[in-house]
Amino acid sequence: MSTMSDEIRQQPVAIERTLKAEWKHAHKLREHFARNPPKLIVLAARGTSDNAAQFGRYLLEISTGIPVSLAAPSITTLYKSHLHLPDSVVVAISQSGESTDTNMVLEQAKASGAFTIGITNEPESSLAKLADHTLLVRAGKEKSVAATKTYTGQLTCFYLLAYALGAPIALADLEKIPEWTASALKLEPEIKQRAERYSFMRHAVCVGRGLNYSNAFEFALKLMETCYVVAERFSSADLLHGPIAMLEASFPAFVFAPSGVTWTPICELLTKLQSIKAETLIVTDKSNKGAAALQVPSYSRLTIPASLANRGKLPVDVFTPIPYIIPAQLFAACLAEVKGLDADKPRTLSKVTQTM
Amino acid sequence: MSTMSDEIRQQPVAIERTLKAEWKHAHKLREHFARNPPKLIVLAARGTSDNAAQFGRYLLEISTGIPVSLAAPSITTLYKSHLHLPDSVVVAISQSGESTDTNMVLEQAKASGAFTIGITNEPESSLAKLADHTLLVRAGKEKSVAATKTYTGQLTCFYLLAYALGAPIALADLEKIPEWTASALKLEPEIKQRAERYSFMRHAVCVGRGLNYSNAFEFALKLMETCYVVAERFSSADLLHGPIAMLEASFPAFVFAPSGVTWTPICELLTKLQSIKAETLIVTDKSNKGAAALQVPSYSRLTIPASLANRGKLPVDVFTPIPYIIPAQLFAACLAEVKGLDADKPRTLSKVTQTM
């Protein structure tokens, strides 16, 4: 089996470790932000970390009401423009902490007076040294080129950051996540069996909405880099605004379908996909009765065997993104194996990518 | 020939008409913003209009230094969250002005005190009635489902908005754009001839950087909706952070390559694509000597026969995005024809898409 598969399985422990070690730190940050509430949050990242930032964007806007901008690094690195960022928090997210461009964005923001935070897996990295504060992902060394446990670790840090910025989150809420992640891992034998069906898949669409939009990006990225599948990523709304035209009978579509406010538009999309006769694989959990009631073939639904609905002040689907990416990661790892590819060493890639 | 092709050819006239009619309006807005400088700009859109917003994001940050956030409409429409937007300008972009979700974002922003602007082709639309100010795209009725002249019209309005927000742009600079667009249209016979080569293309990547990043999105969208090609869109940096692994010999890659600060990373990417033996088609113009010097087959370069380099205070490539999308639009229209598809009526789509 691949190192990627091992690292996927390490996630419940890694998330628990990160929560335990960083909670106090988040609490201190919360005191800081209570005195200095920011007016804007800017998130800078690349690759998988940028997908985590996409999640952070939704979580932070929904839970704090503070507007979030996903940075376009080239504006700093290539065009040498200086943004006016008073009362802003700028967050750089990087597994290695050595991404030249995101570090440059953070450096310039710091010089112009912004409060800076790093989210990284490497305590001794340039990013950790540069940022005013570091939320440390405690996933342990990630050896596979395909990032898995650092992605969910970064998502964990975004929950901590939301708490720090005043979101109504308690540690007890977050402590459910490792358990739900472990529940999602139980799908491995089922996914292993199903992956073979997709051996000759050349292209696909991955669809998510709201808090699970980032998972559509991350699933597509895993399919591209470990299985060489041309996988597109969309929100259900964006897919309907044009790209849906390219879908036809048997076109593979992977759809994240939690309970909550995104279920209505996702369900409408699923109906449309059925009318096109696209081949859909739905990722859902026990709490989504609507998804369970869909008249679809048995091979087209992966149901996490726990109820992941949140009952607190935050949305019903707020804690689904980490457990929901697990079946996607497992699927990519299993499909790479079925295709005889080495998921840990994709062609053309290395672990740390430097871009400007 | 398709209505889409006709509408592509109408663009120089449509842009000139928009500039002439809206310049004074932009000037009045400039006086308003000089008294009330905003601290944040939020752009809300879907589909092609969202691609135009992507351009607006780069242009506004580069030319004004004001941070820009591309709105995630579901945060308002589904999660019912209220963002804190004091001192913000919120801009909704919609061809029809009837997109439920973007109008809802604008409505809520207005209620919370933000200054609102609509960019639309329809003066009597809900959006035009809702917004504090409307920058009107004067492209004439767009009949083809595939948007072309409203996209470049929206880009034109973003130049006007940048001027309104204090950017060092003169009307004389903008008046070059219709002429450069006309120059790009001269490539039509060459593109018509080349399109046939791509008849059986199933997938592709479209790549741009900085100010032309939005064009990568728009080219991909045109290929998806009019030619049913699974076309992915990336910045050169994002492509290198993982997805490059899916590329192999003969994989089609379309790359926007203007002069200026993005040329170095784009050139590095082209070298990488050559080593993979991907089949690359470069869109460039007469000013890019580096692109002209590349040792590539004749069928792999489309050179706009005018020098599009800006000589003013703004970046060299600042006025390239409108002329650069023309070869891409023509390519999609010609390829659809070669494949026997009706570019004006893609399957599954209608002109106005309503999503929540």
PDB file of all heavy atoms in Angstrom, chain B residues 298-330:
ATOM      1  N   SER B 298       4.824  26.029 -36.335  1.00  0.00           N
ATOM      2  CA  SER B 298       4.054  27.212 -36.747  1.00  0.00           C
ATOM      3  C   SER B 298       2.609  27.147 -36.263  1.00  0.00           C
ATOM      4  O   SER B 298       1.990  28.158 -35.999  1.00  0.00           O
ATOM      5  CB  SER B 298       4.079  27.351 -38.260  1.00  0.00           C
ATOM      6  OG  SER B 298       3.407  26.241 -38.832  1.00  0.00           O
ATOM      7  N   TYR B 299       2.055  25.930 -36.131  1.00  0.00           N
ATOM      8  CA  TYR B 299       0.654  25.833 -35.720  1.00  0.00           C
ATOM      9  C   TYR B 299       0.461  26.075 -34.234  1.00  0.00           C
ATOM     10  O   TYR B 299      -0.644  25.995 -33.729  1.00  0.00           O
ATOM     11  CB  TYR B 299       0.056  24.475 -36.121  1.00  0.00           C
ATOM     12  CG  TYR B 299       0.801  23.277 -35.590  1.00  0.00           C
ATOM     13  CD1 TYR B 299       0.670  22.887 -34.268  1.00  0.00           C
ATOM     14  CD2 TYR B 299       1.647  22.552 -36.424  1.00  0.00           C
ATOM     15  CE1 TYR B 299       1.373  21.802 -33.777  1.00  0.00           C
ATOM     16  CE2 TYR B 299       2.350  21.466 -35.933  1.00  0.00           C
ATOM     17  CZ  TYR B 299       2.210  21.092 -34.616  1.00  0.00           C
ATOM     18  OH  TYR B 299       2.910  20.028 -34.127  1.00  0.00           O
ATOM     19  N   SER B 300       1.526  26.384 -33.522  1.00  0.00           N
ATOM     20  CA  SER B 300       1.376  26.491 -32.077  1.00  0.00           C
ATOM     21  C   SER B 300       1.475  27.919 -31.549  1.00  0.00           C
ATOM     22  O   SER B 300       1.670  28.124 -30.360  1.00  0.00           O
ATOM     23  CB  SER B 300       2.390  25.602 -31.384  1.00  0.00           C
ATOM     24  OG  SER B 300       3.673  26.093 -31.603  1.00  0.00           O
ATOM     25  N   ARG B 301       1.302  28.903 -32.426  1.00  0.00           N
ATOM     26  CA  ARG B 301       1.385  30.299 -31.966  1.00  0.00           C
ATOM     27  C   ARG B 301       0.385  31.142 -32.735  1.00  0.00           C
ATOM     28  O   ARG B 301       0.341  31.102 -33.960  1.00  0.00           O
ATOM     29  CB  ARG B 301       2.804  30.811 -32.211  1.00  0.00           C
ATOM     30  CG  ARG B 301       3.127  32.139 -31.569  1.00  0.00           C
ATOM     31  CD  ARG B 301       4.643  32.389 -31.547  1.00  0.00           C
ATOM     32  NE  ARG B 301       5.299  31.795 -32.699  1.00  0.00           N
ATOM     33  CZ  ARG B 301       6.552  31.344 -32.729  1.00  0.00           C
ATOM     34  NH1 ARG B 301       7.324  31.460 -31.672  1.00  0.00           N
ATOM     35  NH2 ARG B 301       7.062  30.813 -33.817  1.00  0.00           N
ATOM     36  N   LEU B 302      -0.464  31.888 -31.996  1.00  0.00           N
ATOM     37  CA  LEU B 302      -1.382  32.838 -32.617  1.00  0.00           C
ATOM     38  C   LEU B 302      -0.935  34.232 -32.190  1.00  0.00           C
ATOM     39  O   LEU B 302      -1.032  34.588 -31.013  1.00  0.00           O
ATOM     40  CB  LEU B 302      -2.816  32.602 -32.135  1.00  0.00           C
ATOM     41  CG  LEU B 302      -3.546  31.381 -32.705  1.00  0.00           C
ATOM     42  CD1 LEU B 302      -4.840  31.134 -31.927  1.00  0.00           C
ATOM     43  CD2 LEU B 302      -3.855  31.575 -34.191  1.00  0.00           C
ATOM     44  N   THR B 303      -0.415  35.016 -33.134  1.00  0.00           N
ATOM     45  CA  THR B 303       0.143  36.324 -32.786  1.00  0.00           C
ATOM     46  C   THR B 303      -0.764  37.445 -33.281  1.00  0.00           C
ATOM     47  O   THR B 303      -0.963  37.607 -34.493  1.00  0.00           O
ATOM     48  CB  THR B 303       1.554  36.481 -33.395  1.00  0.00           C
ATOM     49  OG1 THR B 303       2.341  35.351 -33.012  1.00  0.00           O
ATOM     50  CG2 THR B 303       2.219  37.754 -32.910  1.00  0.00           C
ATOM     51  N   ILE B 304      -1.312  38.202 -32.345  1.00  0.00           N
ATOM     52  CA  ILE B 304      -2.132  39.358 -32.719  1.00  0.00           C
ATOM     53  C   ILE B 304      -1.216  40.361 -33.431  1.00  0.00           C
ATOM     54  O   ILE B 304      -0.159  40.717 -32.899  1.00  0.00           O
ATOM     55  CB  ILE B 304      -2.788  39.989 -31.468  1.00  0.00           C
ATOM     56  CG1 ILE B 304      -3.749  38.972 -30.818  1.00  0.00           C
ATOM     57  CG2 ILE B 304      -3.520  41.282 -31.822  1.00  0.00           C
ATOM     58  CD1 ILE B 304      -4.282  39.378 -29.457  1.00  0.00           C
ATOM     59  N   PRO B 305      -1.595  40.807 -34.657  1.00  0.00           N
ATOM     60  CA  PRO B 305      -0.669  41.602 -35.470  1.00  0.00           C
ATOM     61  C   PRO B 305      -0.583  43.079 -35.074  1.00  0.00           C
ATOM     62  O   PRO B 305      -0.549  43.947 -35.929  1.00  0.00           O
ATOM     63  CB  PRO B 305      -1.234  41.437 -36.885  1.00  0.00           C
ATOM     64  CG  PRO B 305      -2.693  41.207 -36.684  1.00  0.00           C
ATOM     65  CD  PRO B 305      -2.832  40.472 -35.380  1.00  0.00           C
ATOM     66  N   ALA B 306      -0.552  43.369 -33.783  1.00  0.00           N
ATOM     67  CA  ALA B 306      -0.338  44.739 -33.301  1.00  0.00           C
ATOM     68  C   ALA B 306       0.484  44.629 -32.021  1.00  0.00           C
ATOM     69  O   ALA B 306       0.515  43.564 -31.391  1.00  0.00           O
ATOM     70  CB  ALA B 306      -1.681  45.416 -33.009  1.00  0.00           C
ATOM     71  N   SER B 307       1.174  45.700 -31.657  1.00  0.00           N
ATOM     72  CA  SER B 307       1.951  45.711 -30.417  1.00  0.00           C
ATOM     73  C   SER B 307       1.061  46.219 -29.291  1.00  0.00           C
ATOM     74  O   SER B 307       0.656  47.377 -29.304  1.00  0.00           O
ATOM     75  CB  SER B 307       3.171  46.628 -30.553  1.00  0.00           C
ATOM     76  OG  SER B 307       4.171  45.967 -31.270  1.00  0.00           O
ATOM     77  N   LEU B 308       0.770  45.339 -28.329  1.00  0.00           N
ATOM     78  CA  LEU B 308      -0.220  45.703 -27.310  1.00  0.00           C
ATOM     79  C   LEU B 308       0.407  46.141 -25.984  1.00  0.00           C
ATOM     80  O   LEU B 308      -0.254  46.152 -24.955  1.00  0.00           O
ATOM     81  CB  LEU B 308      -1.177  44.534 -27.061  1.00  0.00           C
ATOM     82  CG  LEU B 308      -1.870  43.896 -28.267  1.00  0.00           C
ATOM     83  CD1 LEU B 308      -2.993  42.975 -27.796  1.00  0.00           C
ATOM     84  CD2 LEU B 308      -2.436  44.940 -29.220  1.00  0.00           C
ATOM     85  N   ALA B 309       1.687  46.492 -26.002  1.00  0.00           N
ATOM     86  CA  ALA B 309       2.350  46.864 -24.746  1.00  0.00           C
ATOM     87  C   ALA B 309       1.946  48.267 -24.307  1.00  0.00           C
ATOM     88  O   ALA B 309       2.016  49.210 -25.090  1.00  0.00           O
ATOM     89  CB  ALA B 309       3.860  46.786 -24.922  1.00  0.00           C
ATOM     90  N   ASN B 310       1.552  48.383 -23.040  1.00  0.00           N
ATOM     91  CA  ASN B 310       1.222  49.692 -22.474  1.00  0.00           C
ATOM     92  C   ASN B 310       2.507  50.422 -22.092  1.00  0.00           C
ATOM     93  O   ASN B 310       3.429  49.824 -21.557  1.00  0.00           O
ATOM     94  CB  ASN B 310       0.341  49.488 -21.231  1.00  0.00           C
ATOM     95  CG  ASN B 310       0.073  50.794 -20.506  1.00  0.00           C
ATOM     96  OD1 ASN B 310      -0.381  51.764 -21.118  1.00  0.00           O
ATOM     97  ND2 ASN B 310       0.365  50.837 -19.217  1.00  0.00           N
ATOM     98  N   ARG B 311       2.528  51.726 -22.367  1.00  0.00           N
ATOM     99  CA  ARG B 311       3.732  52.503 -22.052  1.00  0.00           C
ATOM    100  C   ARG B 311       3.521  53.474 -20.887  1.00  0.00           C
ATOM    101  O   ARG B 311       4.389  54.268 -20.578  1.00  0.00           O
ATOM    102  CB  ARG B 311       4.182  53.316 -23.284  1.00  0.00           C
ATOM    103  CG  ARG B 311       4.419  52.501 -24.543  1.00  0.00           C
ATOM    104  CD  ARG B 311       5.723  51.693 -24.464  1.00  0.00           C
ATOM    105  NE  ARG B 311       5.816  50.764 -25.588  1.00  0.00           N
ATOM    106  CZ  ARG B 311       6.453  49.606 -25.528  1.00  0.00           C
ATOM    107  NH1 ARG B 311       7.029  49.196 -24.416  1.00  0.00           N
ATOM    108  NH2 ARG B 311       6.514  48.817 -26.583  1.00  0.00           N
ATOM    109  N   GLY B 312       2.342  53.438 -20.267  1.00  0.00           N
ATOM    110  CA  GLY B 312       2.041  54.405 -19.203  1.00  0.00           C
ATOM    111  C   GLY B 312       2.458  53.905 -17.827  1.00  0.00           C
ATOM    112  O   GLY B 312       3.345  53.060 -17.695  1.00  0.00           O
ATOM    113  N   LYS B 313       1.805  54.442 -16.782  1.00  0.00           N
ATOM    114  CA  LYS B 313       2.148  54.104 -15.400  1.00  0.00           C
ATOM    115  C   LYS B 313       1.723  52.688 -15.028  1.00  0.00           C
ATOM    116  O   LYS B 313       2.296  52.074 -14.142  1.00  0.00           O
ATOM    117  CB  LYS B 313       1.417  55.062 -14.447  1.00  0.00           C
ATOM    118  CG  LYS B 313       2.120  56.396 -14.268  1.00  0.00           C
ATOM    119  CD  LYS B 313       1.412  57.199 -13.181  1.00  0.00           C
ATOM    120  CE  LYS B 313       1.928  58.628 -13.162  1.00  0.00           C
ATOM    121  NZ  LYS B 313       1.101  59.490 -12.300  1.00  0.00           N
ATOM    122  N   LEU B 314       0.699  52.184 -15.685  1.00  0.00           N
ATOM    123  CA  LEU B 314       0.174  50.863 -15.336  1.00  0.00           C
ATOM    124  C   LEU B 314       1.003  49.776 -16.018  1.00  0.00           C
ATOM    125  O   LEU B 314       1.782  50.065 -16.919  1.00  0.00           O
ATOM    126  CB  LEU B 314      -1.307  50.794 -15.714  1.00  0.00           C
ATOM    127  CG  LEU B 314      -2.201  51.678 -14.821  1.00  0.00           C
ATOM    128  CD1 LEU B 314      -3.614  51.761 -15.377  1.00  0.00           C
ATOM    129  CD2 LEU B 314      -2.236  51.142 -13.383  1.00  0.00           C
ATOM    130  N   PRO B 315       0.856  48.510 -15.588  1.00  0.00           N
ATOM    131  CA  PRO B 315       1.696  47.438 -16.142  1.00  0.00           C
ATOM    132  C   PRO B 315       1.604  47.326 -17.674  1.00  0.00           C
ATOM    133  O   PRO B 315       0.600  47.683 -18.282  1.00  0.00           O
ATOM    134  CB  PRO B 315       1.146  46.180 -15.477  1.00  0.00           C
ATOM    135  CG  PRO B 315       0.518  46.644 -14.212  1.00  0.00           C
ATOM    136  CD  PRO B 315      -0.015  48.009 -14.510  1.00  0.00           C
ATOM    137  N   VAL B 316       2.671  46.801 -18.250  1.00  0.00           N
ATOM    138  CA  VAL B 316       2.802  46.614 -19.705  1.00  0.00           C
ATOM    139  C   VAL B 316       1.600  45.866 -20.294  1.00  0.00           C
ATOM    140  O   VAL B 316       1.134  46.163 -21.391  1.00  0.00           O
ATOM    141  CB  VAL B 316       4.117  45.848 -19.989  1.00  0.00           C
ATOM    142  CG1 VAL B 316       4.173  45.334 -21.418  1.00  0.00           C
ATOM    143  CG2 VAL B 316       5.323  46.750 -19.700  1.00  0.00           C
ATOM    144  N   ASP B 317       1.077  44.860 -19.542  1.00  0.00           N
ATOM    145  CA  ASP B 317       0.022  43.992 -20.080  1.00  0.00           C
ATOM    146  C   ASP B 317      -1.388  44.456 -19.706  1.00  0.00           C
ATOM    147  O   ASP B 317      -2.360  43.730 -19.930  1.00  0.00           O
ATOM    148  CB  ASP B 317       0.233  42.548 -19.604  1.00  0.00           C
ATOM    149  CG  ASP B 317       0.291  42.440 -18.075  1.00  0.00           C
ATOM    150  OD1 ASP B 317       0.530  43.469 -17.414  1.00  0.00           O
ATOM    151  OD2 ASP B 317       0.113  41.333 -17.543  1.00  0.00           O
ATOM    152  N   VAL B 318      -1.530  45.682 -19.179  1.00  0.00           N
ATOM    153  CA  VAL B 318      -2.815  46.084 -18.601  1.00  0.00           C
ATOM    154  C   VAL B 318      -3.963  46.139 -19.614  1.00  0.00           C
ATOM    155  O   VAL B 318      -5.107  45.884 -19.256  1.00  0.00           O
ATOM    156  CB  VAL B 318      -2.679  47.428 -17.827  1.00  0.00           C
ATOM    157  CG1 VAL B 318      -2.409  48.588 -18.766  1.00  0.00           C
ATOM    158  CG2 VAL B 318      -3.925  47.698 -16.987  1.00  0.00           C
ATOM    159  N   PHE B 319      -3.660  46.420 -20.873  1.00  0.00           N
ATOM    160  CA  PHE B 319      -4.753  46.496 -21.853  1.00  0.00           C
ATOM    161  C   PHE B 319      -4.796  45.293 -22.803  1.00  0.00           C
ATOM    162  O   PHE B 319      -5.427  45.337 -23.847  1.00  0.00           O
ATOM    163  CB  PHE B 319      -4.670  47.820 -22.638  1.00  0.00           C
ATOM    164  CG  PHE B 319      -4.779  49.032 -21.740  1.00  0.00           C
ATOM    165  CD1 PHE B 319      -3.761  49.980 -21.701  1.00  0.00           C
ATOM    166  CD2 PHE B 319      -5.884  49.200 -20.913  1.00  0.00           C
ATOM    167  CE1 PHE B 319      -3.847  51.085 -20.844  1.00  0.00           C
ATOM    168  CE2 PHE B 319      -5.980  50.306 -20.057  1.00  0.00           C
ATOM    169  CZ  PHE B 319      -4.959  51.249 -20.021  1.00  0.00           C
ATOM    170  N   THR B 320      -4.138  44.195 -22.435  1.00  0.00           N
ATOM    171  CA  THR B 320      -4.154  42.998 -23.286  1.00  0.00           C
ATOM    172  C   THR B 320      -5.393  42.105 -23.110  1.00  0.00           C
ATOM    173  O   THR B 320      -5.769  41.425 -24.067  1.00  0.00           O
ATOM    174  CB  THR B 320      -2.904  42.113 -23.048  1.00  0.00           C
ATOM    175  OG1 THR B 320      -2.853  41.728 -21.656  1.00  0.00           O
ATOM    176  CG2 THR B 320      -1.618  42.853 -23.416  1.00  0.00           C
ATOM    177  N   PRO B 321      -6.032  42.065 -21.926  1.00  0.00           N
ATOM    178  CA  PRO B 321      -7.072  41.025 -21.744  1.00  0.00           C
ATOM    179  C   PRO B 321      -8.222  41.056 -22.751  1.00  0.00           C
ATOM    180  O   PRO B 321      -8.674  39.995 -23.181  1.00  0.00           O
ATOM    181  CB  PRO B 321      -7.549  41.267 -20.304  1.00  0.00           C
ATOM    182  CG  PRO B 321      -6.314  41.763 -19.607  1.00  0.00           C
ATOM    183  CD  PRO B 321      -5.684  42.694 -20.620  1.00  0.00           C
ATOM    184  N   ILE B 322      -8.695  42.237 -23.159  1.00  0.00           N
ATOM    185  CA  ILE B 322      -9.796  42.251 -24.130  1.00  0.00           C
ATOM    186  C   ILE B 322      -9.337  41.724 -25.493  1.00  0.00           C
ATOM    187  O   ILE B 322      -9.915  40.756 -26.001  1.00  0.00           O
ATOM    188  CB  ILE B 322     -10.461  43.643 -24.219  1.00  0.00           C
ATOM    189  CG1 ILE B 322     -11.227  43.930 -22.906  1.00  0.00           C
ATOM    190  CG2 ILE B 322     -11.394  43.737 -25.424  1.00  0.00           C
ATOM    191  CD1 ILE B 322     -11.894  45.295 -22.848  1.00  0.00           C
ATOM    192  N   PRO B 323      -8.284  42.289 -26.102  1.00  0.00           N
ATOM    193  CA  PRO B 323      -7.863  41.691 -27.391  1.00  0.00           C
ATOM    194  C   PRO B 323      -7.469  40.218 -27.281  1.00  0.00           C
ATOM    195  O   PRO B 323      -7.711  39.435 -28.198  1.00  0.00           O
ATOM    196  CB  PRO B 323      -6.674  42.557 -27.830  1.00  0.00           C
ATOM    197  CG  PRO B 323      -6.425  43.548 -26.748  1.00  0.00           C
ATOM    198  CD  PRO B 323      -7.576  43.555 -25.816  1.00  0.00           C
ATOM    199  N   TYR B 324      -6.893  39.806 -26.145  1.00  0.00           N
ATOM    200  CA  TYR B 324      -6.433  38.418 -26.020  1.00  0.00           C
ATOM    201  C   TYR B 324      -7.575  37.400 -25.977  1.00  0.00           C
ATOM    202  O   TYR B 324      -7.370  36.237 -26.317  1.00  0.00           O
ATOM    203  CB  TYR B 324      -5.541  38.257 -24.776  1.00  0.00           C
ATOM    204  CG  TYR B 324      -4.071  38.463 -25.061  1.00  0.00           C
ATOM    205  CD1 TYR B 324      -3.626  39.622 -25.701  1.00  0.00           C
ATOM    206  CD2 TYR B 324      -3.120  37.517 -24.728  1.00  0.00           C
ATOM    207  CE1 TYR B 324      -2.281  39.824 -25.979  1.00  0.00           C
ATOM    208  CE2 TYR B 324      -1.768  37.707 -25.002  1.00  0.00           C
ATOM    209  CZ  TYR B 324      -1.361  38.857 -25.625  1.00  0.00           C
ATOM    210  OH  TYR B 324      -0.037  39.043 -25.902  1.00  0.00           O
ATOM    211  N   ILE B 325      -8.751  37.793 -25.522  1.00  0.00           N
ATOM    212  CA  ILE B 325      -9.831  36.791 -25.470  1.00  0.00           C
ATOM    213  C   ILE B 325     -10.417  36.561 -26.866  1.00  0.00           C
ATOM    214  O   ILE B 325     -11.063  35.529 -27.114  1.00  0.00           O
ATOM    215  CB  ILE B 325     -10.932  37.170 -24.446  1.00  0.00           C
ATOM    216  CG1 ILE B 325     -11.785  35.939 -24.083  1.00  0.00           C
ATOM    217  CG2 ILE B 325     -11.853  38.272 -24.972  1.00  0.00           C
ATOM    218  CD1 ILE B 325     -11.071  34.786 -23.452  1.00  0.00           C
ATOM    219  N   ILE B 326     -10.199  37.486 -27.789  1.00  0.00           N
ATOM    220  CA  ILE B 326     -10.784  37.367 -29.132  1.00  0.00           C
ATOM    221  C   ILE B 326     -10.362  36.073 -29.847  1.00  0.00           C
ATOM    222  O   ILE B 326     -11.229  35.316 -30.318  1.00  0.00           O
ATOM    223  CB  ILE B 326     -10.441  38.608 -30.008  1.00  0.00           C
ATOM    224  CG1 ILE B 326     -10.873  39.907 -29.298  1.00  0.00           C
ATOM    225  CG2 ILE B 326     -11.051  38.498 -31.411  1.00  0.00           C
ATOM    226  CD1 ILE B 326     -12.349  40.096 -29.097  1.00  0.00           C
ATOM    227  N   PRO B 327      -9.051  35.764 -29.937  1.00  0.00           N
ATOM    228  CA  PRO B 327      -8.677  34.502 -30.594  1.00  0.00           C
ATOM    229  C   PRO B 327      -9.306  33.285 -29.912  1.00  0.00           C
ATOM    230  O   PRO B 327      -9.656  32.309 -30.579  1.00  0.00           O
ATOM    231  CB  PRO B 327      -7.147  34.460 -30.455  1.00  0.00           C
ATOM    232  CG  PRO B 327      -6.726  35.854 -30.167  1.00  0.00           C
ATOM    233  CD  PRO B 327      -7.876  36.541 -29.503  1.00  0.00           C
ATOM    234  N   ALA B 328      -9.465  33.354 -28.601  1.00  0.00           N
ATOM    235  CA  ALA B 328     -10.065  32.243 -27.849  1.00  0.00           C
ATOM    236  C   ALA B 328     -11.542  32.085 -28.207  1.00  0.00           C
ATOM    237  O   ALA B 328     -12.029  30.973 -28.441  1.00  0.00           O
ATOM    238  CB  ALA B 328      -9.894  32.481 -26.353  1.00  0.00           C
ATOM    239  N   GLN B 329     -12.252  33.210 -28.264  1.00  0.00           N
ATOM    240  CA  GLN B 329     -13.677  33.164 -28.647  1.00  0.00           C
ATOM    241  C   GLN B 329     -13.814  32.622 -30.076  1.00  0.00           C
ATOM    242  O   GLN B 329     -14.663  31.761 -30.350  1.00  0.00           O
ATOM    243  CB  GLN B 329     -14.284  34.569 -28.585  1.00  0.00           C
ATOM    244  CG  GLN B 329     -14.373  35.173 -27.186  1.00  0.00           C
ATOM    245  CD  GLN B 329     -14.777  36.647 -27.216  1.00  0.00           C
ATOM    246  OE1 GLN B 329     -14.609  37.333 -28.231  1.00  0.00           O
ATOM    247  NE2 GLN B 329     -15.302  37.144 -26.099  1.00  0.00           N
ATOM    248  N   LEU B 330     -12.967  33.128 -30.972  1.00  0.00           N
ATOM    249  CA  LEU B 330     -13.020  32.676 -32.374  1.00  0.00           C
ATOM    250  C   LEU B 330     -12.718  31.188 -32.462  1.00  0.00           C
ATOM    251  O   LEU B 330     -13.368  30.444 -33.210  1.00  0.00           O
ATOM    252  CB  LEU B 330     -11.998  33.459 -33.219  1.00  0.00           C
ATOM    253  CG  LEU B 330     -12.326  34.924 -33.517  1.00  0.00           C
ATOM    254  CD1 LEU B 330     -11.094  35.629 -34.111  1.00  0.00           C
ATOM    255  CD2 LEU B 330     -13.512  35.041 -34.491  1.00  0.00           C
TER     256      LEU B 330
END
